[in-house]
Amino acid sequence: MKSYSVDRGVIESKKGIPEAPRWFSDSRMNFQIDENAVTQVNYHNPLAIRGCNTIFLQRLWDGFRHFVELDGVTHKLPYTNSKLWPFGVESECEVNGVKLQHRIMAVEESIVFQVTTPAELPVSMRYKMEFYKDFALIPADSQDFRFSAGGTSRVWQEWSYDEAASLLHGSFLEIQKEREAGHPDDININNPDVSKYDREEPVPLFVSIGADFSIGYSKRPLNSKYILTGSEPLEPSRTYSFIISFDCEKEALLNKIYELSDGIEEAVSKQFARYERIRERSPILNSPYETLNDFMSLIPLYHESCKVTDVPGAIKAKNKQYWVWGWDGITSNYSSLYWGDQSFIGDMLRFYEETADAEWGIAHSYRHDMTLNSVSALPAQSMYISLLQQYYATTGNKQEVLDRYDFVKRIFNLILTREVQGTGFCEGASLFPDFPAFMHETGTSDISSLNNTIFYCAARSMEYLAELVGDQESKERAKAVFTGIEKNFLPLFYDEEKQFVVSSIDSVTLQKRNSYNANAVKWESHYLSDLMDEVNAGALEFFANHIVCKAGLREIPVWSDAFDMDANQLHCWWPVTGEYFMQLINDGNRPDLIEQWIGWVSYWTGKLTCPEGISCYIDTAEPDVDRWNTENGTWHAYSMRGWYQAAIHGVVGVSMEAGGLTFHPYAGEEMTLEGFYYGEQRLDIAMTGSGPYVGSIEVDGNVLEATNKLPVDAVGAGQNAASKISVRRVQSNPYPVAIQKAFGIELSDYSYVDGIIRAQMQGAGTSRLKLIAQREPVVTIGGRSVNVQYDAAAGKAIVEVDLKVGQSEELVIQ
């Protein structure tokens, strides 16, 4: 029985802090608390290029603690009726019969402690804060990279108290050491030398602790404990605040803490208002799976806490020690669009372009000063192209495409410098794992399946974008690339015996490697169905027989000689790669596996965390919480998005792409998704009935038949109220022919009368119209008959179209 509940992303607990210790975050600063103290503080110094971002670490002696003092006796502030936000906790407590409220929060990259008194205060209380000198961390090179020096040496200055300003000051200086050979920054063999971004100047950090009320200072002579205590007793109906702030410039820090002290209530109110706006916009899932409902409400808020507020478009890979990374930020951003955060995606597109290296392209990892720490492998950079198309498809903002197009074209052409033997494939070691040699890759002659499924999606997006802006040459080049991949992918990568693709082939001999990996197929957009649908049944069997385990999805089968070879990544499940599995189990109508997936997500949601990697080494349905990937209160940004969009696409069964919305029915439970965003249009979607076919779609009272795809004019743009959509799922196919998928095609003026589908059709570039057909259909476009690929055994038909921007064609299917 869990000890808390979740109300639209806010965790509520009657007693204590659930799943403590927990992390809280605001931009460059984050901290961990247990029910006694702040136990760790991290700060990503905007001047630092390397080093340890942990500033304070509780070891033997306490970290930051706040108390009330009554007649010289110190009293702890317990946690009752608590509300936990991504940036902090607010609670009630009773001390000696007096009911108080107290908070610990991350606000404007500062730690704010607060206590609020009641209207009647019959006793004389004082508010105080304490910590020990040894809370300050001097990192050392060790096997524990969390607290290693990271190529620097740190020297703390003695804490000093400014009596006139009532501020306690601390600071340190970090000296950059010469980069050692074999430094972790250099492990990716695809990365060029980025030493031109190195600097040798010492990096300072200043810390000031003050309050918005009069305080006094004392220090214990032994074991160096610092104490800040209110000069006067607490008054009724008042809020008192201690503030701990950080900056790399002393004067800037003083100005910051003075301003916060004067306007702390306004700053706190702004922080709450920021997250309230996210709560108001976040979709609500109402399903029989209570913990999955909680997960869907938590994720938009915790994703918000990963944003770097002083660099629009930058997002930390994790709300704890990880900083900003390349593909970690770009991938799986359907999620951000689904909860209506289109403006952030626009910022992200600009951020990656503005910070890219002029020669090598998009960063793989960033330093704290936002210079490049390493450069992304070329296929990873192609995710940017897919993201730009997703953004346009949702917003219709063509100007953003025009502004970004030269950069997109440069990235696409840069990737093509590594094309192999006219296959369309891009050469390079896999993005996963850190040590691909265990998967029989050489670093010099590799064609990775993971890389090239990503690149395939990008090539499809590139053709679309080129058509959109009128770049015929690039359109033709992109089409040549993805048709080459379509021609060669399955013949070269697919293993008929295993019924799955190998993780890589040799770029010289084009021979398959004896290596299998669950994320050999990275689902970056729905275009990938055109590449992989043919082998869905076999791939699903491979997952079910070799990948699914009690803990989740093993990336590497246990019979592979790569399994656990690094004692880390190669025995884990990486949730960001799980979209392909969800596509398979939805398409294969496997509610049993969908419910098992829900169980995995629910297990970690119950622990109020979202891991980067989940160990599948031990055969257990309850994997251990560790000190890194599954640490309490840590939320990994791309895992959050990966699971969120997989739940939308597969559990609910709705997806967005360049041509609008498509529904994906299966024999699942009924549920509703309220406040789902398609651009600025809010939709309330009800999935009714159960079965792998769509019987009908009702939109604001209008009924559509014989289509899984929602015509773009079916919902009203700009309405204040959400459009109501009800999708009726059925067990048997009710139509002789129906539209199943039409990614990249916009349908409008849709009708189904006397067994004939009619619609207007628009788009940009190559698209495939996929039909469920009990007989071979006759299809005309613009009054002309077109070729239909019909598979009678599967009961499916495909029509390929090349659409021109601004041209509408009449589609007739009968």
Side-chain angles (χ1 to χ4, degrees), residues 778-787:
V778 176
V779 179
T780 63
I781 297 175
R784 300 179 301 276
S785 295
V786 296
N787 181 56

Side-chain angles (χ1 to χ4, degrees), residues 608-625:
L608 297 176
T609 190
C610 187
E612 179 191 16
I614 297 165
S615 174
C616 296
Y617 183 74
I618 301 169
D619 187 30
T620 177
E622 298 183 350
D624 299 334
V625 174

Side-chain angles (χ1 to χ4, degrees), residues 414-607:
L414 184 63
I415 297 169
L416 287 183
T417 62
R418 302 291 296 274
E419 186 184 4
V420 179
Q421 300 183 37
T423 58
F425 299 141
C426 173
E427 186 180 47
S430 295
L431 301 178
F432 168 92
D434 286 345
F435 305 101
F438 291 124
M439 300 193 309
H440 305 293
E441 296 188 23
T442 66
T444 58
S445 60
D446 308 304
I447 303 177
S448 158
S449 176
L450 167 62
N451 294 1
N452 283 283
T453 51
I454 292 170
F455 185 44
Y456 172 78
C457 294
R460 295 294 301 271
S461 293
M462 188 67 205
E463 187 210 25
Y464 181 101
L465 296 170
E467 167 63 26
L468 189 67
V469 304
D471 181 357
Q472 189 64 28
E473 180 182 358
S474 293
K475 177 187 175 182
E476 292 174 358
R477 192 174 192 190
K479 184 164 186 174
V481 168
F482 74 70
T483 54
I485 295 175
E486 289 175 348
K487 175 184 176 183
N488 295 305
F489 188 80
L490 292 179
L492 292 177
F493 277 95
Y494 190 69
D495 184 318
E496 294 284 351
E497 179 183 353
K498 293 288 194 299
Q499 298 188 81
F500 201 67
V501 295
V502 295
S503 65
S504 70
I505 60 176
D506 189 284
S507 62
V508 177
T509 66
L510 302 182
Q511 294 299 304
K512 297 178 180 67
R513 267 81 177 263
N514 183 29
S515 179
Y516 301 87
N517 182 333
N519 60 21
V521 178
K522 174 68 169 72
W523 192 280
E524 200 56 30
S525 79
H526 298 294
Y527 284 126
L528 199 58
S529 65
D530 288 351
L531 188 66
M532 301 303 300
D533 274 358
E534 182 181 334
V535 296
N536 277 1
L540 177 53
E541 286 303 305
F542 180 84
F543 267 92
N545 295 331
H546 306 295
I547 301 299
V548 172
C549 66
K550 294 176 183 177
L553 301 175
R554 292 190 184 99
E555 295 295 338
I556 308 291
V558 293
W559 43 258
S560 169
D561 58 9
F563 179 74
D564 191 46
M565 286 301 290
D566 65 350
N568 177 23
Q569 291 182 333
L570 294 172
H571 65 230
C572 285
W573 172 27
W574 305 91
V576 69
T577 67
E579 172 81 7
Y580 181 47
F581 177 69
M582 179 54 76
Q583 293 288 330
L584 289 173
I585 58 181
N586 175 281
D587 182 77
N589 191 29
R590 291 291 301 270
D592 57 328
L593 292 176
I594 289 176
E595 291 205 357
Q596 188 172 10
W597 182 92
I598 292 169
W600 296 327
V601 173
S602 297
Y603 173 76
W604 292 106
T605 304
K607 292 185 173 296

Side-chain angles (χ1 to χ4, degrees), residues 14 36 74 189 294 319 418 550 666 677 727 731 751 793:
K14 294 293 185 183
N36 296 318
T74 297
I189 57 176
D294 290 347
N319 70 333
R418 302 291 296 274
K550 294 176 183 177
Y666 69 102
Y677 275 87
V727 179
Q731 288 289 344
S751 68

